[in-house]
Amino acid sequence: FGNRDLTMIIFNIVVSVLACLFVYFICFKITASKKMGLLAMGIMAVYPNNINYVRNTLSETPTMFFLTASVFFLLCFSGPDSC
């Protein structure tokens, strides 16, 4: 981990991709439609603010990941059916 800036950018990319996957699963859980899940994930993937946050070492990208993960697990464990 010699270059810290590159390491943080790679970390932000991985966390952003995982946040996009959580958005897909949230939308799929709410609508039961794979097309809507893919649409929501695609919108988040090309959202300009999301792209700008990934390029810089800011705290917004991990925050977005933890927020989408918490909403997913809230939806997952609040209903009678499990994930």
Side-chain angles (χ1 to χ4, degrees):
F1 298 142
N3 190 351
R4 292 183 183 159
D5 291 335
L6 181 62
T7 305
M8 285 304 297
I9 290 173
I10 291 172
F11 173 75
N12 279 345
I13 290 170
V14 170
V15 169
S16 181
V17 168
L18 291 174
C20 288
L21 287 174
F22 274 123
V23 166
Y24 168 78
F25 289 126
I26 290 168
C27 191
F28 180 73
K29 184 109 174 112
I30 292 173
T31 64
S33 171
K34 288 185 180 181
K35 288 182 182 179
M36 291 302 292
L38 289 173
L39 178 67
M41 184 175 71
I43 288 172
M44 184 174 174
V46 298
Y47 188 62
N49 284 343
N50 193 21
I51 294 170
N52 285 333
Y53 293 152
V54 169
R55 292 186 314 167
N56 303 319
T57 55
L58 301 171
S59 64
E60 280 81 359
T61 307
T63 303
M64 202 171 2
F65 166 73
F66 287 120
L67 178 68
T68 55
S70 63
V71 169
F72 171 73
F73 288 120
L74 178 70
L75 287 173
C76 196
F77 295 117
S78 65
D81 57 339
S82 63
C83 296

